[in-house]
Structure formats: structure tokens, C-alpha cells
Amino acid sequence: MCGIVGYIGNKKAEPILINGLYKLEYRGYDSAGIATIEKDAIKNIKNKGRVSDLEKTDGIENLEGTIGIAHTRWATHGKPSSINSHPHLDNSKHFAVVHNGIIENYADLKAFLEKQNYTFLSDTDTEIIPNLIHYNFVQDKKDDNFKFLRAVKNACYMLKGSYAIEVISDYFKDEMIVVRKDSPLVIGKGINENYISSDIPAILSYTKDFYLLNDNEFAKLTRENIEFFDENLVKLEKAPINISWNPLAAEKDGYEDFMLKEIYEQPRAIRETIWAHLPEISKCQMDELNFSKEYLEGLEKIYLVACGTAMHACLVAKNMLENICEIPAEVDVASEFRYRNPLINSKTLCIFVSQSGETADTIAALKLSKSKGAKTVAISNVSGSSITREADYTIYTHAGPEIAVASTKAYTSQIALLAVLTIYFAEILERNPVQVSNLKEELYCLPEKITDTLKCSNRVKSFAQKVYKEKDIFFLGRGVDYAASLEGSLKLKEISYIHSEAYASGELKHGPIALIEDGVTVVSVITTPSLVGKSISNIQEVITRGAKTFIITNQDLEGHTFDEVISIPKTSSYVSPILSIIPLQLFAYYISKEKGLDVDKPRNLAKSVTVE
Ligand code: F6R
């Protein structure tokens, strides 16, 4: 939540910062701001609304500075307004700060600073930071090359919470200080210029060489140099990593929206995710993991922990792990798991799934599992993300940068990778070879089947045009189709703002059926052969009560009448949501478009949830 970007070099900073903000806008879009060091002072321009509003704000075109910081906000403390926007300056106006995260003890620190006669303009937690820096700066009687860094470090020592911070000062016109704790921050290395960002794609068009800061690490940047320090300001050596992503992967590439582009990228995303670990003919290879047969045989339980869409991918994987590997698997929402004292020991394997690798609850759940003696595996889409640095082992999905707030290709790639992981475990355990070989076959065919499934787009669009004004839309499914329904319903509510619930079809009669009335739309996913009859009976029950029905199926449902049926290719039930979700992603997309909404940046949401 919130995006930060920074530049220090010889070019005008403003266009680089604005360009970075546009790319980070998915992280929050309540307000935006920029501060640069001009000839005689820091110039700070900020505005409520989007980056496009900031770009139109008076004076922005006059910024000439070659050092600057910028921010796009997802409001936590203080409503979206110009005054609450970042950057924030201290009372003396010599220090400017942008911040992503939450300062938990800000009320105490504000009271402390008020006693020292500091005053505050905004309702934010962030405004205490430049003032704390100023406070520590004036307390420090030493005058050396590290005075600015020391002031930031001493201020951070007083903070509790999460933060990625960039600081500039017109006392130090050729320096920028950055620090992170539990919020993401990357440093891009150029030639006589350096970049800061909350994520890699935002600055990928400027450099491919990145440094990753760990928690409580500081960096002091000049145009030519980057120095790293630990929390006690002891110097650290760091090697840059080279990122091979194509910067164009983070562009819309002719599509109207990132979400649509990402839906259509799924054949490639799945192919690359599968082929990275599952070469044809030979056994599954996961060099990143080194689990022995003895260790896997001794496992009492696997926990799959994640949030939102990633948690829905885990629900799909539970069945595979239990049936093929014969290991009990439990799925948990990270925000619940971390506070419910789960039963974990060295015979528990905990798998954490996170596209961004920055979700605060998922990272906290991982740390908890580690502390209780479990081995931890992270599944992420982002190289070097925080979760990958905490986990014992990491395996990557190869979805490429996912920019739209609503997750699509990351979800299907997560299911694909969890299927590969299931095969990897089963091959080591020598369990269920026939099922393993069938699942492998199906995985190889999936990219082509996704391409076929995408052909339903026009029919889905027509149905969306009929129902986009509705207030409630319900989803039904059994087994793995229930898992897909949960994800379809989440997609719909997050980008169309239509109220939606997904129910296990068998639960319908236990309460939810009271909500079904004449004309209400019910979406049902029916792909599990053994459950077709039962699912049809449940659909008949809602039709009888006047519902319109939209069916996604790979079964022959001849003899039954529904308002729309989308036929998808058959595949293994273990991974069928990789196909059945596609019409549902398109359904949510076209409803949102029909309503004229911003598909890629739905209200109140942000792509990576770095606060609890
Ligand atoms: C929904 C969506 C979210 C994320 C969730 C976890 O479309 O994208 O529900 O899945 O916030 O995010 P990651 O996977 O980055 O941990």
C-alpha cells in the first residue's frame, strides 16, 4: 500500500518521478505528491486524487531539481486530502519524507514532539518522521559525512511499525537516505544516477541492476555511489541482482486495461511456470527444494497459508496434496493463522503463497511458523520480495509483472505451481504414480486449453451486458468448483462493486436460498464429473425460485435449460479452476467495463497489502 519512488542523478527528476508514480499507482491512488531539491530550497507539490491530477497541479512544470522523492497514497491515518498527502516536511522545511507503512506509536511520538514545540499540519502518522529527523539532527553535535544518515537512523530508532522511507534535505543537496522495515523498497543502480522504488517494474525502463534492502537496513545514495548500513550504521557490502524482465511486460501492449492483458497472458504464464520445473519425460525438478523421502514421510501436516486470491489458489491445492501425496493439508487465511496459535512442529511443512511477496499478514504467519520449528516454503511471483528472504525455500511462479489490482494470471500460475509441487512430493514419496502421470499430461496441455477457453470472451461479454446493473450475484459450486466460485465472486465484487457471495452448492438449503428471488443471477461452475447430478439439482432449486443462470462447465448438460452456458475444455479435476476461472475473470471484467469503472484500480484497494 502506497508507492514511493526516488531519483538522484543529473537529469530533471520530475518526469522520472511522475513516470514511476504512474507505474506504482496500483499500490494506492488517494493522493500523490513530489518534492525536489531546487536551487535554494525543497519544493513540495502534492494533491488529492490521482497522479494525473498531480501532473496538472500548478508549478510542477517548473521543478528543475535533479534529486527528488514522490509518493502515491493509500490512506491509512487521515482522510485523502491535499494536506495529508506525502511528501511531508518538518517544521523547518529542510527535511522532506515519503513513507509507505504505518507508524504504530505515532500518537506518543507526536505528543513528545509537541512538548518540544513542534507543530503539525496533517492528520497523518508520517508527519512525525521529518520532525523526528529534524529533532535528532539538531541534537547531534557531531559534524561529519554521516550527520544526515545518523539523524534518520536515530529517528527510526524511535519508530514502531512498518516503513519504507525516502528522505531528502536541502542541507545535503547531493544525498538521499532510504531505509526499510516490513515495507518494500528497491534501489536501481544506474550510471551516475540512482533510483528508488517500491517495486522493480516501476523503474525497470531505467535499469536492470537492483539492490534489495533487508529490514532495518539503510542506504545513503549520491549520484555516483550507494552505501549500505545495518541498524547500527555498520557498513554492509551488497551485490546487485540483475533482473531479466522485459520492461514492456509492465506496459499495456495495446490492451485497453492491464487486467485484460493479464487475462490473455495466462497461456504463457502457465507454460513458463510449468516448464521451469517440469521437463517432459524426466522427473519433476525443484532444485530450490531439497526434501528427502524421510522428511516427507514424517510430515504430519501441510499448512497452506495466504490471503485473498492466493488463499483461493491454496484451496485448490489442498485436494491434490491430500489425494496424491496422502499428506493432510489445511488451508488458512494468514491474518487468522498468525493469531490463532496453530499446532505447528518440526513435522509440519508450511507453504506461504503471495504474488507480491510483500503481504504483511502472510509474512508474519511465515515468521511464526519458522519460530515454531516448521520448514517454510514461499511461493511468490516477485524475485527478491520480502517473503522470499524470510522463507527457508522459495519457488517462483513465472507470471511476469501483474499490474492490475485484481489478480488473474498470478492465481492460475499459483495453482499450476502448486500442482507441480504436488508432483514433486509424490515422486519423492513414490505415491500414486498413475495419478502423477495423468496430472503431468494435463499440465502440459493447459496452455492450449486456456487459449481455447479464452474464445468464450464474446459470449461472456454479452451476458455481462445483460446483468451489469444487478445488485447481487451469487456463485455456486461443489468441491474444486466451490474454490473457483469463491475466486469468481471475489473478482466480481472487487472490480464491479456488485455484492456477491459464493456458496458450496450443498449449503444452499441451509440458509442462503432465502436470498434467491425472481430475476437474481446465479453463476455455477460444474466441472467435477462425480458431482454433476448433485450440482444440477441445486441449480434447479434456484431456477424454480426465479433465478437467471450462468453456467461454466466442461460436462454435457444436454436436456437442461439455462440462460447461458459457457463450455470449457475438460481437464483434470485437480486443476480445473485454471480453466473455469477464465470466463469468470472475463465476466467481472466486462461488468466493470459496462459500468464505466476503473478496472485496473478499483476503489479502496491496493495491489500489495503491506499493512495488517
Ligand atoms: C484479489 C487480490 C488479493 C490478493 C491478496 C494477496 O484480486 O489480488 O486478494 O490476492 O491481497 O496478495 P499477495 O498474493 O500479493 O500476497
Side-chain angles (χ1 to χ4, degrees):
M1 333 214 96
C2 299
I4 62 175
V5 57
Y7 174 74
I8 177 164
N10 295 307
K11 301 186 189 114
K12 198 168 132 117
E14 178 266 323
I16 295 168
L17 296 174
I18 294 286
N19 184 26
L21 284 186
Y22 272 119
K23 301 229 168 80
L24 290 173
E25 223 180 1
Y26 72 85
R27 302 178 64 87
Y29 25 88
D30 290 328
S31 67
I34 175 170
T36 53
I37 302 183
E38 298 297 310
K39 269 202 188 82
D40 41 9
I42 293 176
K43 185 91 182 143
N44 188 19
I45 298 182
K46 49 196 196 170
N47 213 342
K48 187 177 170 209
R50 300 213 164 174
V51 179
S52 52
D53 298 306
L54 175 67
E55 230 186 338
K56 289 181 219 131
T57 309
D58 282 350
I60 199 144
E61 68 287 355
N62 300 329
L63 297 177
E64 296 295 335
T66 57
I67 301 183
I69 55 178
H71 186 272
T72 178
R73 180 168 186 244
W74 187 84
T76 57
H77 294 65
K79 64 179 194 303
S81 71
S82 180
I83 208 80
N84 287 335
S85 309
H86 300 216
H88 288 282
L89 264 61
D90 74 305
N91 288 181
S92 76
K93 305 208 183 320
H94 289 299
F95 295 94
V97 165
V98 291
H99 162 222
N100 168 26
I102 289 185
I103 304 305
E104 287 160 11
N105 60 339
Y106 88 100
D108 292 346
L109 292 172
K110 192 170 178 179
F112 165 78
L113 286 166
E114 276 168 344
K115 276 201 195 127
Q116 321 295 321
N117 298 322
Y118 285 87
T119 56
F120 295 88
L121 300 170
S122 76
D123 304 319
T124 64
D125 51 344
T126 302
E127 201 185 354
I128 59 144
I129 302 174
N131 286 304
L132 276 182
I133 294 171
H134 177 265
Y135 170 80
N136 282 286
F137 184 75
V138 293
Q139 298 292 314
D140 186 352
K141 300 299 169 221
K142 227 159 115 188
D143 216 355
D144 60 12
N145 279 347
F146 298 100
K147 190 168 169 106
F148 183 17
L149 174 64
R150 232 174 9 252
V152 178
K153 178 246 165 187
N154 289 336
C156 288
Y157 186 72
M158 301 168 87
L159 303 178
K160 288 205 177 84
S162 59
Y163 45 83
I165 298 170
E166 298 172 349
V167 197
I168 52 171
S169 168
D170 60 354
Y171 289 146
F172 302 92
K173 291 198 168 124
D174 304 306
E175 249 179 72
M176 182 184 296
I177 306 293
V178 300
V179 53
R180 68 156 278 181
K181 178 181 170 278
D182 295 330
S183 286
L185 187 146
V186 300
I187 301 175
K189 180 176 149 9
I191 298 169
N192 294 331
E193 57 183 5
N194 292 303
Y195 302 84
I196 307 289
S197 175
S198 297
D199 76 14
I200 289 171
I203 50 175
L204 205 52
S205 51
Y206 303 112
T207 178
K208 292 200 168 213
D209 294 322
F210 287 86
Y211 291 103
L212 306 174
L213 278 195
N214 291 320
D215 279 349
N216 299 310
E217 288 181 353
F218 294 80
K220 177 180 162 194
L221 295 96
T222 60
R223 290 175 177 82
E224 300 78 23
N225 212 1
I226 309 171
E227 291 174 282
F228 300 97
F229 303 87
D230 73 4
E231 58 195 318
N232 300 313
L233 296 193
V234 174
K235 231 169 156 186
L236 300 168
E237 288 308 318
K238 272 188 192 282
I241 56 163
N242 185 268
I243 298 291
S244 58
W245 283 352
N246 174 355
L248 288 178
E251 304 291 340
K252 279 190 199 157
D253 204 14
Y255 285 90
E256 219 171 302
D257 304 278
F258 278 111
M259 183 179 175
L260 192 63
K261 175 189 174 226
E262 289 161 7
I263 289 173
Y264 276 87
E265 279 177 337
Q266 290 177 105
R268 182 207 49 77
I270 299 301
R271 184 179 301 111
E272 289 181 14
T273 299
I274 291 170
W275 278 90
H277 303 283
L278 207 58
E280 229 164 355
I281 309 173
S282 62
K283 276 192 172 177
C284 175
Q285 283 169 2
M286 288 215 166
D287 298 337
E288 308 88 327
L289 311 178
N290 63 349
F291 293 137
S292 65
K293 189 172 183 195
E294 294 67 41
Y295 168 75
L296 291 174
E297 277 175 341
L299 280 181
E300 286 170 355
K301 188 186 278 187
I302 295 180
Y303 274 116
L304 297 148
V305 182
C307 299
T309 287
M311 190 277 288
H312 292 159
C314 294
L315 289 175
V316 179
K318 173 183 160 75
N319 260 359
M320 294 185 247
L321 286 164
E322 292 200 326
N323 292 336
I324 303 181
C325 301
E326 299 171 19
I327 305 173
E330 202 171 311
V331 178
D332 220 325
V333 170
S335 55
E336 291 294 314
F337 180 86
R338 63 182 288 195
Y339 291 118
R340 74 168 174 80
N341 197 17
L343 291 176
I344 296 174
N345 57 33
S346 59
K347 293 183 172 173
T348 320
L349 173 65
C350 296
I351 301 174
F352 300 87
V353 184
S354 174
Q355 186 285 130
S356 62
E358 302 295 346
T359 300
D361 282 321
T362 311
I363 295 171
L366 186 149
K367 287 181 182 166
L368 173 80
S369 310
K370 244 175 131 174
S371 73
K372 288 181 172 241
K375 283 202 166 122
T376 56
V377 177
I379 292 187
S380 180
N381 194 39
V382 180
S383 244
S385 55
S386 301
I387 204 165
T388 68
R389 284 180 277 156
E390 294 289 344
D392 296 313
Y393 308 95
T394 297
I395 42 178
Y396 286 104
T397 48
H398 291 253
E402 193 179 62
I403 310 292
V405 165
S407 183
T408 53
K409 62 176 179 171
Y411 166 75
T412 45
S413 301
Q414 284 158 355
I415 299 174
L417 187 52
L418 285 162
V420 175
L421 187 64
T422 303
I423 292 171
Y424 168 78
F425 288 159
E427 285 183 339
I428 296 176
L429 286 163
E430 299 179 71
R431 289 183 186 160
N432 298 304
V434 177
Q435 287 205 60
V436 166
S437 138
N438 290 344
L439 182 55
K440 266 189 189 176
E441 292 284 307
E442 282 305 326
L443 290 180
Y444 294 131
C445 299
L446 274 176
E448 215 170 298
K449 290 184 181 178
I450 298 172
T451 305
D452 279 352
T453 308
L454 283 163
K455 293 181 186 146
C456 71
S457 175
N458 282 340
R459 290 184 68 180
V460 173
K461 185 175 177 181
S462 309
F463 191 76
Q465 284 167 339
K466 289 185 197 142
V467 300
Y468 75 96
K469 287 191 179 146
E470 296 197 359
K471 291 239 170 326
D472 312 283
I473 294 185
F474 297 98
F475 287 69
L476 296 179
R478 282 175 180 265
V480 82
D481 296 332
Y482 172 47
S485 296
L486 285 167
E487 175 58 10
S489 170
L490 176 64
K491 284 294 87 89
L492 182 70
K493 70 186 110 188
E494 68 181 324
I495 63 167
S496 76
Y497 317 147
I498 292 177
H499 167 248
S500 171
E501 302 289 342
Y503 296 110
S505 305
E507 275 292 293
L508 200 64
K509 287 192 274 298
H510 300 283
I513 201 160
L515 297 169
I516 305 299
E517 55 187 13
D518 213 19
V520 83
T521 294
V522 176
V523 180
S524 184
V525 184
I526 307 177
T527 70
T528 313
S530 58
L531 297 172
V532 173
K534 304 226 177 292
S535 295
I536 298 278
S537 305
N538 298 130
I539 303 295
Q540 289 305 342
E541 288 157 9
V542 297
I543 292 175
T544 307
R545 285 156 183 88
K548 281 200 289 293
T549 48
F550 180 53
I551 311 293
I552 316 299
T553 187
N554 58 12
Q555 301 295 308
D556 179 3
L557 302 185
E558 232 170 83
H560 301 279
T561 309
F562 306 105
D563 292 276
E564 181 61 274
V565 178
I566 302 294
S567 293
I568 59 172
K570 282 195 168 34
T571 185
S572 157
S573 287
Y574 289 126
V575 289
S576 68
I578 291 181
L579 301 180
S580 59
I581 197 61
I582 285 168
L584 301 182
Q585 293 168 342
L586 289 165
F587 183 55
Y589 173 81
Y590 285 118
I591 288 190
S592 180
K593 290 302 276 185
E594 244 2 89
K595 293 180 82 167
L597 300 173
D598 186 340
V599 173
D600 287 338
K601 299 188 197 92
R603 72 183 178 204
N604 303 341
L605 296 175
K607 183 78 182 159
S608 65
V609 184
T610 51
V611 294
E612 272 194 60

